Structure formats: structure tokens, C-alpha cells
Amino acid sequence: MATTNDIKNGTVLKLEGNLWNVLEFQHVKPGKGGAFVRTKLRNILSGKVVDKTFNAGLKIETATVDRRDYQYLYKDGEDYVFMDTTDYDQITVPGKTVGNAANFMLESQMATIAMHEGSPLYVELPASVTLEITYTEPGLQGDRSTGGTKPATVETGHEIQVPLFLGTGTKVKVDTRTGDYLGRVNE
């Protein structure tokens, strides 16, 4: 058992039979009344985000979550197969658990998988990845970086918005949390 004073970003709490990941927290000590902790929590299974306030010093139950790096191997139907690079054990993660991370995963890419009691909770990718544009409409003379955006399909099959001047075959950096174009990668 822990108290609300132990809450940090990334802590996993057990509340009402569900697992909740702490996205943000703030300890508040008003001039009048008792201190409290304001949190933003995400349900690990459903992805629902809620705001919850706890009284300071309240006993809460934390869950033990093991985060380990795995290498993405391949997609098997709706599931994804990952390998632990330390002991070469392979695990299969359901597509629902992988979620939006599948839009930015390439084979042999590293990802962090959070496990609780042997079952995968979620897959975390690096903040940004480099992907190649496999299709986009050709740019026209006069298209500039400040002009506008157009849809482009990257090598994972996901569609993102890129500046008008980019063409097919260009490598771009993409934010894995939002799917936003971050810049062109020169190699």
C-alpha cells in the first residue's frame, strides 16, 4: 500500500478493480482546508481519461507493472509478435492492446511493453520515429513549407499530413503520440 504522496507520472493505481495510469498529478495545499492531490488518470484497458482528486495522505493501492524493451517482429492476424532481446522469448500482444502504436511500428523496431501479472497492458513507442513516404501527390512549382499540407501514406500504411513540397520516397520524422509530421530526415 502507498499513499497519495507517492503518486508520480507513470504510476499505475488499482482503483475499483481497474488499472489506471497516472498521466499528470499536482499536489495542492490551499490556504484553507486540507491538502489534496489532483490527478489525470488513463484507464489502461479502455484508454478512457478521467480527472480524480484524492485527499493528501489517503492510502491507495498501486499495481506492480514491469516495463521491458521488446523488438517488434511481425503481425500475426490481429495480433503482434514481439521478442525480448535479452532471453529471446517471444510474446504475442493483441491488436487492441497495441492500439495506435501499430500505425508507426516497423519490423525489428524497439518498443516498451508494460506487463502486469504476465499480461501486456500497453505498448509504448519512442516519442518520434523515422518513416518513408510511400505515396503522396507530386508537389507543384511554388509549393513552400509554409503553404499548406497534403495527405501522405507512410511505409506502415498510415496516412499523415505533410507539407506540400514533400514527395514520395522522402524520409520524415513523425510524432508517435499524435501522428504529426515533425520534419524531414536527411540521410
Side-chain angles (χ1 to χ4, degrees):
M1 284 297 238
T3 67
T4 53
N5 299 333
D6 300 325
I7 291 177
K8 303 271 183 284
N9 288 348
T11 304
V12 178
L13 306 176
K14 271 188 188 175
L15 301 172
E16 299 147 12
N18 289 320
L19 294 176
W20 298 84
N21 192 9
V22 177
L23 301 176
E24 296 174 15
F25 75 98
Q26 179 182 17
H27 290 276
V28 180
K29 177 124 178 54
K32 204 175 194 183
F36 59 91
V37 180
R38 187 179 293 136
T39 61
K40 185 177 277 192
L41 306 171
R42 181 177 61 223
N43 186 309
I44 289 179
L45 298 178
S46 71
K48 179 179 163 186
V49 176
V50 298
D51 293 323
K52 189 155 178 66
T53 303
F54 300 96
N55 290 330
L58 183 74
K59 295 252 186 248
I60 52 171
E61 189 175 356
T62 57
T64 305
V65 175
D66 181 26
R67 290 179 174 84
R68 294 173 72 180
D69 289 335
Y70 286 85
Q71 184 178 28
Y72 170 55
L73 296 179
Y74 59 90
K75 185 173 180 183
D76 182 21
E78 293 297 311
D79 299 334
Y80 295 82
V81 179
F82 292 85
M83 178 181 67
D84 187 340
T85 53
T86 56
D87 59 10
Y88 305 107
D89 280 349
Q90 292 184 8
I91 63 165
T92 302
V93 180
K96 189 179 97 182
T97 303
V98 173
N100 289 338
N103 297 331
F104 308 106
M105 283 191 323
L106 292 173
E107 289 181 3
S108 77
Q109 181 178 342
M110 296 304 288
T112 302
I113 300 178
M115 307 277 275
H116 174 65
E117 296 176 357
S119 61
L121 299 174
Y122 58 88
V123 175
E124 230 172 53
L125 293 178
S128 65
V129 292
T130 300
L131 299 171
E132 186 176 329
I133 296 174
T134 55
Y135 177 77
T136 187
E137 295 295 325
L140 302 172
Q141 182 65 32
D143 287 343
R144 298 287 176 256
S145 61
T146 57
T149 60
K150 63 182 177 180
T153 305
V154 293
E155 57 191 309
T156 60
H158 186 63
E159 192 172 275
I160 62 170
Q161 293 292 319
V162 298
L164 294 170
F165 66 89
L166 291 178
T168 302
T170 306
K171 289 193 180 276
V172 294
K173 190 177 259 193
V174 181
D175 188 323
T176 58
R177 297 161 299 206
T178 61
D180 293 341
Y181 163 82
L182 296 175
R184 184 169 35 178
V185 176
N186 297 326
E187 289 186 24

